[in-house]
Amino acid sequence: DIQMTQSPSSLSASVGDRVTITCQASQDISNYLNWYQQKPGKAPKLLIYDASNLETGVPSRFSGSGSGTDFTFTISSLQPEDIATYYCQQYDNLMYTFGQGTKLEIK
Amino acid sequence: QVQLVQSGAEVKKPGSSVKVSCKASGGTFSSYTISWVRQAPGQGLEWMGRIIPILGIANYAQKFQGRVTITADKSTSTAYMELSSLRSEDTAVYYCVYGDHLGYWGQGTLVTVSS
């Protein structure tokens, strides 16, 4: 199975900061990588699909990049409502795997 | 807009089985995948398996092979996830999710396994 290594596991940043989360796949997954946001007590929400495509309705401060094994998720200017846990997820050969998650807090 | 409505919370004994339902509306049920993802208390997301209703073909994460069965009823646009041989570690919120990109999520069903 493909393993996803996401880092950091937690992150504290100030409003307005640029925030970056990385995800590394154990083998080449092309661009088959999605990013999700989950707020406490809520279901996850798709933000980025196919590594770099912004889901409809998602603010443009969110972005994703990468291909192959190394991927990056960025919030260009952190807002208070962005406090959540973020997950990467790969889909390859009919199987899906999530990263361990990054808990984002306001400093 | 796709909406997924899941069945209610369950409390089960160790060794028993649970079957969770997920009724879809507002989308083309048969043509897209329905996945099941679970989340244990305070833990991350874990993909269990998925089905393509139009084909009736399911595939499962290796961890759950032999213990989980995912089915779909095209006539009622409802998917089901049955997990057997329950143990305390299976206590979690179980989500059904629509689409290849996991774009639409049900509200979640809490399954508690306790003696």
Side-chain angles (χ1 to χ4, degrees), chain A residues 1 34 36 38 41-46 49-50 55 87 89 91 93-100, chain B residues 33 35 37 39 43-47 50 59-62 95 99-107:
Chain A
D1 288 3
N34 300 329
Y36 301 84
Q38 186 179 31
K42 300 291 188 182
K45 175 185 176 183
L46 176 66
Y49 65 93
D50 293 345
E55 177 72 345
Y87 295 92
Q89 171 253 319
Y91 53 103
N93 196 25
L94 305 180
M95 307 296 278
Y96 295 64
T97 314
F98 287 93
Q100 304 94 319
Chain B
T33 62
S35 288
V37 175
Q39 186 169 38
Q43 302 303 307
L45 302 170
E46 188 170 32
W47 181 79
R50 69 173 197 168
N59 65 290
Y60 306 110
Q62 190 168 8
Y95 293 101
D100 290 345
H101 293 136
L102 306 186
Y104 298 93
W105 293 65
Q107 83 275 19

Side-chain angles (χ1 to χ4, degrees), chain B residues 28-107:
Chain B
T28 309
F29 178 76
S30 292
S31 300
Y32 291 91
T33 62
I34 296 284
S35 288
W36 288 88
V37 175
R38 77 176 187 179
Q39 186 169 38
Q43 302 303 307
L45 302 170
E46 188 170 32
W47 181 79
M48 302 177 68
R50 69 173 197 168
I51 189 167
I52 304 174
I54 197 170
L55 300 176
I57 296 173
N59 65 290
Y60 306 110
Q62 190 168 8
K63 175 178 178 176
F64 299 101
Q65 284 275 1
R67 211 161 64 91
V68 68
T69 303
I70 296 173
T71 57
D73 183 341
K74 296 190 297 290
S75 67
T76 60
S77 298
T78 302
Y80 301 90
M81 186 282 300
E82 184 169 22
L83 187 63
S84 62
S85 302
L86 290 169
R87 36 210 187 229
S88 58
E89 310 90 89
D90 294 318
T91 294
V93 175
Y94 289 77
Y95 293 101
C96 64
V97 195
Y98 174 94
D100 290 345
H101 293 136
L102 306 186
Y104 298 93
W105 293 65
Q107 83 275 19

